[in-house]
Amino acid sequence: MGTSIQTKNLTKSYGNVQVLKSIDFTIEQGEFTAIMGPSGSGKTTLLNTLSTIDSFNGGEVWIEGSSLLDMKKKALREFRQKRMGFIFQDYNLLDTLTVKENILLPLSLQKTPLAEMEQRLAKIIAALNIESILQQFPSEISGGQKQRTAAARAMITNPAIVFADEPTGSLDSRSATQLLEQIQLLNETFKTTVLLITHDAYAASYCRRVIFLRDGKIVNELFKGEQSEKQFFDRILTVQSATGGDRR
């Protein structure tokens, strides 16, 4: 197993406002990590920076051993398309495509052979339990099913890293639990690194590690170890309360 993400003295500013301040951490390949913190702590800015969607002002970021500073715009775009997957709170599904077509879209854009597309699809939909809705459109399925479709689309390219930005934010508790269990299963099955941005201690309790941000700085981190979700959840709540997070 190698290093998936590494930052050194990472800083990001918008005008005179410094949003990220000297961020240093390493995430190993296959880790399931949550980034938590109150609104304005820099969580989404950190995700956008690590995923190459946004640039940074100082320090350095390595993804799979490659420095982002050494990559041109075209190389960054191709790297993002081929090595990264994204799950967003608002699903970002195309209404005019079926569930199957939405999931296969990234492979279609990469001109992947049809046989390989079907092979990858079979594994992903089985893990996410969405075989029965493949021919339906997004307007015909529930929020939980939409989010599992989005998760399948994110995983179908066999990415090295999946970035999940508040993926349970629009779901009821039952759908959120199902999604988290299935992301956990995907992480374990495919050894994909998952970085989860969340306000929710319950969502974070499914991760193996939680990094807490406040005012653009890392202020604490927890490792799950052999604890149950419930035990880890209680520890996360304690730290979240101390760091000014939203207790939900």
Side-chain angles (χ1 to χ4, degrees), residues 51-218:
S51 64
T52 77
I53 291 173
D54 202 355
S55 60
F56 51 96
N57 305 110
E60 196 157 3
V61 178
W62 294 266
I63 306 291
E64 293 194 290
S66 298
S67 171
L68 298 188
L69 292 177
D70 295 335
M71 300 174 74
K72 304 296 184 185
K73 284 186 177 181
K74 182 180 178 182
L76 284 172
R77 185 174 64 252
E78 291 178 352
F79 190 77
R80 186 164 59 245
Q81 291 173 344
K82 294 179 179 179
R83 304 300 295 152
M84 298 178 181
F86 298 87
I87 308 173
F88 301 101
Q89 180 177 342
D90 57 0
Y91 319 128
N92 282 8
L93 300 177
L94 296 178
D95 293 335
T96 56
L97 300 182
T98 64
V99 165
K100 180 178 179 179
E101 290 166 342
N102 267 287
I103 295 170
L104 291 177
L105 183 60
L107 295 185
S108 299
L109 295 174
Q110 293 178 17
K111 298 183 172 21
T112 304
L114 183 60
E116 184 180 345
M117 289 170 64
E118 292 290 346
Q119 187 178 39
R120 290 196 197 182
L121 179 70
K123 292 180 181 178
I124 292 293
I125 63 173
L128 286 164
N129 192 28
I130 51 175
E131 298 99 325
S132 64
I133 62 168
L134 288 184
Q135 301 309 318
Q136 293 179 262
F137 290 89
S139 61
E140 301 171 330
I141 60 178
S142 69
Q145 290 170 326
K146 289 178 184 177
Q147 198 55 291
R148 279 183 277 163
T149 299
R153 182 186 56 194
M155 296 294 295
I156 196 76
T157 58
N158 294 333
I161 307 166
V162 168
F163 295 95
D165 191 1
E166 300 281 5
T168 61
S170 299
L171 303 180
D172 59 56
S173 58
R174 181 172 176 271
S175 296
T177 297
Q178 289 178 341
L179 179 69
L180 291 165
E181 288 174 346
Q182 285 153 341
I183 291 177
Q184 195 176 54
L185 177 63
L186 290 171
N187 167 252
E188 293 168 356
T189 301
F190 298 101
K191 309 304 179 188
T192 301
T193 304
V194 180
L195 189 65
L196 172 72
I197 303 296
T198 185
H199 285 88
D200 187 358
Y202 178 71
S205 70
Y206 279 80
C207 300
R208 299 177 200 164
R209 175 185 179 193
V210 181
I211 297 172
F212 295 87
L213 290 186
R214 184 174 184 178
D215 298 327
K217 297 180 180 179
I218 294 177

Side-chain angles (χ1 to χ4, degrees), residues 7-13 18-25 41 46 56-61 211-219:
T7 72
K8 183 176 181 182
N9 198 32
L10 174 64
T11 59
K12 172 67 178 178
S13 299
Q18 194 171 32
V19 182
L20 299 178
K21 305 169 185 175
S22 301
I23 300 288
D24 291 315
F25 67 82
S41 61
L46 180 59
F56 51 96
N57 305 110
E60 196 157 3
V61 178
I211 297 172
F212 295 87
L213 290 186
R214 184 174 184 178
D215 298 327
K217 297 180 180 179
I218 294 177
V219 294

